[in-house]
Amino acid sequence: MSDTTHVDDNSTAPRPRAVELVAELHAILDELQTADLSPCTDDELIDVASATERAIARTTFAGDRQVAEAEARDLPRKTGYRTLTQFMNHRLRITNPVRRRKHLNATATLTCLNGDRLEPEHPTLAEAFAAGTVGTAHVQAALDVLDRIPNAVDHDIKVAAERQMAEIAADHTPADISQLGARLLAHLDPDGTLADDTERKRRRNLWVNRQRADGTAKMTANLTPELAARVTMLLAVWAKPGMNNPNDPDSPTGSVEDADPEQLTAAADRDDRTPAQINHDALNALLKAVLDDGLLGKSHRGLPVQLIIKADLDDLIREVGLATTATGTLLPIPDLIAMAGDVQPWLAIFKDHTAVPLHFGRGKRLATREQRLVSFARPDGEVCSAPGCDQPATHVELHHAHKDWAKGGLTDIDDLAPACPRHNRMVGPKPGQYTTRIVRSGTDEGRCVWRLNAEPGAPPNPEHLNRRPDIPRRFAHHLNTVRDEIHGPTSRPGDQARRSWLTISHVIDVRPPRPGPTTCPSPVEAHLMELLATR
């Protein structure tokens, strides 16, 4: 067969550059898929793999532009498909076209029916996507956060939030993006004045769906922050491997704090349940105990466990912002104040803005329990100190980070660091284990740094902190930048005061000031002032 075919004169025109580029791209991919990787050094292989992942993200962004152009030309209808989603799914064979369409609408330049071009809805995120610094999963997680910003939020705040989420997406995993985005949303509306609290309460629900044929039923719920804090506290103390196992007659029941250690260890070794099954059995055991012991009318707010909550003094005085429970749940300050009658207040004071505790006041002598509480009260004490670990304070142990106990280390609070059981067991001198130390000076004073031990003769790995982004301050920076771009440099009366609280405060207080002078302190203010005066 001849290698040439008859063509008309119009086809002799040069091929569009996009067609040539795609052909070249596939030629490069053909070579890349079969390229010998053995000559690469370890560092070069890491660079190649990282660059390939960036290329995947950049290619996806380029594909979104092409899909947008196809939609502008009405190609789905011309090729026989009723919708763009069908066209993407069947003709272009795009996985999850609904999600891809959401990405496209947010990060691609679109064409209106009249031919006008629409810039991306989230330009900073689009720029990061085009550069390959974020992938599709990062974009999805960021968009899920941005979509939940209340409509009442001003435009400049939305623009700043988009830049904040693009910055987070470039440095964190999709799971981290969702978690940090939740904190950003909370700081945008700390006391529910924009996302109306009545709307949050209206959405609260808990459903036990109809039983299936095998007798099981699915439970679905939207929990208020208060109930979420209580449920996570329950699971922290009742849902442990070996505890409340209905398949094991020798499994301890109730709270892990009341179990015999040897019996619990043996039961945990036999426990083959999934974490979700352990959670289920813990809730079942609690409800059984409530029913059996007649505690329905006597339990404290329905739960026999105590919430441990950390809040900033300034936020408590202003009655705005967020508190954090030991399980990592965010609790609005107004909800915490509403629970003030059942709260036993403690006071923790730290050196400057570091994690070094100077004083932990209470009427009793300090003990192991108090050391755990002051560890949680640290600015970085909400989670395990190992880099990238998000295990909450209720799941951590106090690790002798300065010097191991067996080598003469002291159980002093400024030598200890929170570490989850998995990371605590990974500390040691062997390759693949971690070496830890406490920073003794600088802005990170009091924090625990971790270094993964390298093989003998290999260059040492860098030290890392589990540094959680300062969401309020970084957002304030982005918001100030956006306002400068929109309104110009600060020059109007009152702007400097507004900028001051944006850069200093840990939350954005959108409530109007209270009318008139305060004649007497609130009960919370009075109690905190009394604590400060006696310390």
Side-chain angles (χ1 to χ4, degrees):
M1 179 181 292
S2 172
D3 291 336
T4 61
T5 56
H6 174 74
V7 294
D8 54 35
D9 292 340
N10 292 334
S11 64
T12 60
R15 293 193 303 174
R17 182 58 178 158
V19 175
E20 295 179 348
L21 287 173
V22 170
E24 293 172 10
L25 173 63
H26 280 285
I28 293 174
L29 290 175
D30 288 340
E31 187 174 356
L32 181 61
Q33 289 174 351
T34 58
D36 185 8
L37 300 177
S38 59
C40 295
T41 65
D42 292 349
D43 290 340
E44 289 172 340
L45 181 59
I46 292 174
D47 291 341
V48 167
S50 177
T52 301
E53 293 302 316
R54 281 191 58 209
I56 292 173
R58 299 188 67 187
T59 304
T60 303
F61 179 83
D64 286 349
R65 290 183 62 247
Q66 296 154 15
V67 173
E69 181 69 18
E71 182 182 29
R73 298 188 186 188
D74 200 20
L75 292 184
R77 183 188 61 80
K78 292 179 181 178
T79 51
Y81 296 97
R82 291 183 297 175
T83 64
L84 176 63
T85 300
Q86 287 185 341
F87 176 79
M88 295 167 66
N89 194 14
H90 298 287
R91 185 62 181 266
L92 304 182
R93 299 190 60 79
I94 292 177
T95 304
N96 201 336
V98 175
R99 177 178 297 178
R100 183 75 172 272
R101 176 71 184 274
K102 181 180 179 180
H103 292 185
L104 186 151
N105 291 340
T107 61
T109 301
L110 305 178
T111 304
C112 298
L113 295 178
N114 61 3
D116 292 341
R117 306 290 284 182
L118 289 178
E119 294 301 316
E121 180 181 355
H122 300 300
T124 310
L125 193 61
E127 182 179 353
F129 196 22
T133 55
V134 301
T136 54
H138 303 88
V139 173
Q140 176 67 34
L143 292 179
D144 288 344
V145 173
L146 295 171
D147 289 345
R148 298 205 305 272
I149 295 178
N151 292 330
V153 170
D154 292 336
H155 171 70
D156 54 356
I157 293 180
K158 290 181 178 179
V159 174
E162 188 261 348
R163 295 186 182 183
Q164 171 81 85
M165 289 310 304
E167 181 181 272
I168 291 173
D171 296 326
H172 294 83
T173 66
D176 292 337
I177 295 169
S178 300
Q179 184 182 46
L180 295 171
R183 299 180 72 89
L184 174 61
L185 291 171
H187 283 289
L188 291 180
D189 186 22
D191 58 350
T193 58
L194 298 179
D196 191 356
D197 186 62
T198 59
E199 175 67 13
R200 185 165 57 218
K201 291 180 178 178
R202 185 185 66 83
R203 294 202 312 266
R204 75 187 190 280
N205 60 67
L206 190 152
W207 290 100
V208 179
N209 298 338
R210 290 186 179 184
Q211 286 182 293
R212 303 184 182 96
D214 61 356
T216 60
K218 184 177 181 180
M219 177 184 291
T220 58
N222 284 318
L223 308 183
T224 61
E226 181 180 358
L227 181 54
R230 298 186 186 284
V231 170
T232 53
M233 189 65 230
L234 159 69
L235 298 180
V237 296
W238 282 58
K240 295 289 186 180
M243 291 295 302
N244 301 300
N245 189 349
N247 301 323
D248 185 357
D250 297 324
S251 170
T253 58
S255 170
V256 67
E257 302 297 334
D258 300 326
D260 177 79
E262 294 183 0
Q263 183 184 8
L264 176 59
T265 300
D269 291 339
R270 300 189 298 269
D271 198 341
D272 59 354
R273 296 173 297 171
T274 66
Q277 291 171 334
I278 294 175
N279 291 343
H280 172 277
D281 296 340
L283 179 61
N284 182 57
L286 173 71
L287 296 178
K288 183 178 184 299
V290 170
L291 293 172
D292 291 347
D293 297 339
L295 299 177
L296 285 176
K298 300 178 181 179
S299 61
H300 172 63
R301 297 178 182 261
L303 290 175
V305 294
Q306 181 181 7
L307 288 177
I308 304 173
I309 306 172
K310 176 171 67 175
D312 288 341
L313 179 63
D314 290 341
D315 291 349
L316 281 172
I317 293 175
R318 294 188 301 129
E319 299 182 15
V320 65
L322 298 164
T324 305
T325 71
T327 57
T329 302
L330 298 177
L331 190 67
I333 293 294
D335 290 353
L336 176 59
I337 293 176
M339 302 163 61
D342 300 311
V343 169
Q344 179 184 11
W346 298 57
L347 179 64
I349 302 175
F350 295 86
K351 176 183 177 181
D352 299 325
H353 297 288
T354 68
V356 181
L358 295 182
H359 179 74
F360 192 59
R362 195 189 179 202
K364 296 182 180 180
R365 182 185 176 196
L366 294 180
T368 301
R369 184 171 69 121
E370 281 72 19
Q371 288 181 325
R372 291 184 64 88
L373 288 174
V374 75
S375 174
F376 168 62
R378 285 171 161 167
D380 60 345
E382 301 167 13
V383 295
C384 170
S385 59
C389 186
D390 61 355
Q391 288 295 307
T394 50
H395 294 173
V396 303
E397 302 164 350
L398 286 187
H399 162 56
H400 290 77
H402 178 63
K403 182 187 291 186
D404 190 73
W405 173 260
K407 298 181 179 179
L410 301 176
T411 311
D412 293 339
I413 189 59
D414 53 357
D415 287 344
L416 302 176
C420 68
R422 181 173 72 92
H423 282 107
N424 204 1
R425 290 193 297 268
M426 293 176 66
V427 175
K430 299 179 181 178
Q433 294 181 316
Y434 285 97
T435 298
T436 61
R437 68 178 181 89
I438 299 292
V439 179
R440 297 303 187 189
S441 62
T443 57
D444 290 321
E445 183 179 1
R447 295 176 183 264
C448 180
V449 294
W450 295 64
R451 184 199 297 274
L452 185 64
N453 300 333
E455 292 288 340
N461 290 315
E463 293 182 324
H464 291 286
L465 286 166
N466 193 1
R467 193 186 302 279
R468 296 165 68 81
D470 191 339
I471 295 294
R473 291 184 183 275
R474 290 301 301 163
F475 174 74
H477 166 75
H478 288 294
L479 182 55
N480 288 335
T481 302
V482 170
R483 286 177 171 168
D484 282 345
E485 293 173 358
I486 295 176
H487 305 295
T490 302
S491 59
R492 293 169 297 176
D495 280 2
Q496 191 60 43
R498 177 190 66 180
R499 186 174 298 274
S500 175
W501 64 254
L502 275 175
T503 55
I504 296 176
S505 174
H506 281 266
V507 294
I508 298 176
D509 189 352
V510 295
R511 301 181 305 170
R514 296 180 179 179
T518 302
T519 57
C520 61
S522 68
V524 173
E525 292 173 338
H527 188 75
L528 290 170
M529 291 169 62
E530 179 182 350
L531 279 175
L532 286 170
T534 57
R535 300 298 186 263

